[in-house]
Amino acid sequence: MFQAKKIRNRQKILELLYKTDGLLTSKRIAELLEADGYLISERTVRLYLQELAQEGFTRSFGHRGHSITERGLSELRVTQTYQRIGYLSARIDEMTYKMSFDLEQRTGTVVVNTSVVDPRDLAGCLDRVAQVFTKGYGMGTRLAILTPGERIGELEIPPHRIGFCTICSITLNSVLLKHGIPTTSRFGGLLEVCGGKPRRFVELIHYDGTSIDPLEVFIRARMTNYLGAISDGNGLIGASFREIPEDARDLALRLADAMARIGMGGLMVAGMPGQPVLDIPVTPGRIGLVVIAGLNPIAILEELGYPIQSRALSGLLDFTRTITVDELPQTLSQFL
């Protein structure tokens, strides 16, 4: 029992160091742990930090605080993999139910992804980012900008950075559910497009078997090809595969069209009952849907070599905070 508690506390400290852009003192770590329901004294935190540093998982910078090392990151990934199998599917369900957006009234919260980016880097790639939206490779044409110090979910925007929020494709799940259509999210993957049209999935990761959003994995591995997609329509973009009851097809298409009219469209392909979609077999009694990944527009920065930190399903944001991609240049100018 004691050993399990110790392992949990050590992992929690590593998670805090990983999520923080900068150094954390033992006092600050104790405060953050308490806010999260972990009652650990500052002295005990110092003892944990000494152990972690001796094992090479953290690095001390004296009174300035502590940071996680590459070895610490590797350790954290291993422990999270074992503890969080199926976590992403549970997170999808959680956000689907929590979202309050009303399609008819255009009010309430929507699920967003958030990328932390240097506004100067974004300004330098603004034309290409906009093209991902306008050529139909984004989840609609709406986005939001978070200012330094703002927080969404567990993510806080650090100084001299902004948060670039895009509509998460899970928003479609929630809209469908509110109209009586349950959605099963099967996998995320890399979708090959030819001449601007979807051709096939070349990579896929099932949601039940991962703790990390598949597109985050593909982006970091530089496996995408958004530059090709926006230049001649031939490239690799992020997309996901869902299933809904076959009798709900007509209603689902009407709802998807209504979302598209207000800048939240992302449905790329809707199959026919029992028929494969892009060679992906579909469960009997259901139809397959291919939905654009919300992270696509900002992910082109990673492809171009700019450092970004992206978090899929980062949280809920009021729809009134969103702007259109046409409004982005003026909004971004405030941070340059």
Side-chain angles (χ1 to χ4, degrees):
M1 180 71 175
F2 174 78
Q3 186 64 19
K5 182 178 179 181
K6 180 178 180 180
I7 292 172
R8 182 199 65 186
N9 291 343
R10 283 164 51 103
Q11 181 182 343
K12 189 63 181 178
I13 290 173
L14 289 175
E15 287 178 356
L16 288 173
L17 292 172
Y18 165 67
K19 293 174 182 176
T20 301
D21 185 27
L23 305 178
L24 285 179
T25 64
S26 56
K27 180 180 180 180
R28 181 57 178 158
I29 291 173
E31 292 172 347
L32 292 171
L33 288 171
E34 182 177 357
D36 232 4
Y38 294 80
L39 299 179
I40 305 175
S41 69
E42 183 183 348
R43 179 178 179 277
T44 302
V45 169
R46 286 200 299 269
L47 293 175
Y48 280 130
L49 287 168
Q50 288 176 10
E51 290 181 3
L52 292 168
Q54 289 171 0
E55 296 170 42
F57 297 150
T58 64
R59 182 179 296 111
S60 173
F61 291 84
H63 294 299
R64 294 169 54 202
H66 305 261
S67 68
I68 192 169
T69 63
E70 285 298 323
R71 186 175 178 183
L73 287 172
S74 298
E75 174 69 12
L76 185 60
R77 292 188 191 103
V78 170
T79 55
Q80 287 180 333
T81 297
Y82 286 112
Q83 294 182 14
R84 299 175 69 186
I85 290 297
Y87 166 82
L88 187 58
S89 289
R91 176 70 169 164
I92 288 171
D93 290 342
E94 176 191 6
M95 300 302 282
T96 297
Y97 280 97
K98 281 186 174 180
M99 193 187 94
S100 65
F101 182 69
D102 185 297
L103 181 58
E104 287 73 27
Q105 300 298 320
R106 302 185 187 183
T107 58
T109 57
V110 293
V111 185
V112 296
N113 313 301
T114 304
S115 300
V116 177
V117 61
D118 187 322
R120 295 167 297 183
D121 293 342
L122 179 56
C125 302
L126 196 54
D127 180 60
R128 285 169 170 164
V129 171
Q131 285 186 64
V132 178
F133 278 110
T134 57
K135 289 182 179 292
Y137 301 128
M139 183 68 187
T141 55
R142 303 195 74 87
L143 60 110
I145 299 295
L146 302 183
T147 60
E150 281 198 85
R151 176 177 287 274
I152 183 163
E154 298 179 343
L155 184 64
E156 181 175 336
I157 310 304
H160 313 301
R161 297 291 186 271
I162 59 172
F164 187 94
C165 298
T166 52
I167 303 295
C168 180
S169 61
I170 298 306
T171 294
L172 175 62
N173 292 34
S174 186
V175 169
L176 294 180
L177 182 64
K178 284 176 172 55
H179 289 79
I181 304 175
T183 305
T184 301
S185 296
R186 288 184 54 189
F187 63 80
L190 277 184
L191 179 67
E192 181 182 11
V193 292
C194 296
K197 303 295 183 182
R199 182 184 179 195
R200 60 175 178 168
F201 281 97
V202 297
E203 299 284 350
L204 59 88
I205 297 177
H206 286 270
Y207 289 124
D208 283 336
T210 181
S211 61
I212 304 173
D213 185 89
L215 189 54
E216 290 184 43
V217 176
F218 298 135
I219 291 171
R220 292 172 189 168
R222 306 285 175 88
M223 296 170 67
T224 60
N225 182 13
Y226 297 107
L227 290 174
I230 64 174
S231 62
D232 59 12
N234 301 313
L236 296 172
I237 66 171
S240 59
F241 192 83
R242 321 276 171 85
E243 289 183 348
I244 62 172
E246 61 180 31
D247 291 338
R249 187 179 190 275
D250 290 343
L251 176 56
L253 290 177
R254 290 198 299 272
L255 293 170
D257 286 343
M259 291 179 67
R261 287 194 294 270
I262 61 171
M264 295 172 63
L267 180 60
M268 205 170 197
V269 180
M272 298 301 292
Q275 296 298 311
V277 177
L278 303 184
D279 297 326
I280 303 296
V282 176
T283 306
R286 295 178 174 269
I287 65 166
L289 304 178
V290 177
V291 185
I292 293 288
L295 278 173
N296 284 349
I298 195 66
I300 199 169
L301 266 73
E302 185 91 26
E303 192 172 297
L304 291 166
Y306 293 96
I308 60 172
Q309 175 192 350
S310 293
R311 188 78 55 83
L313 293 137
S314 58
L316 298 167
L317 192 71
D318 197 280
F319 180 71
T320 59
R321 287 288 307 270
T322 65
I323 61 174
T324 67
V325 66
D326 293 335
E327 299 173 274
L328 179 56
Q330 181 179 353
T331 302
L332 185 59
S333 66
Q334 303 171 33
F335 303 95
L336 301 176

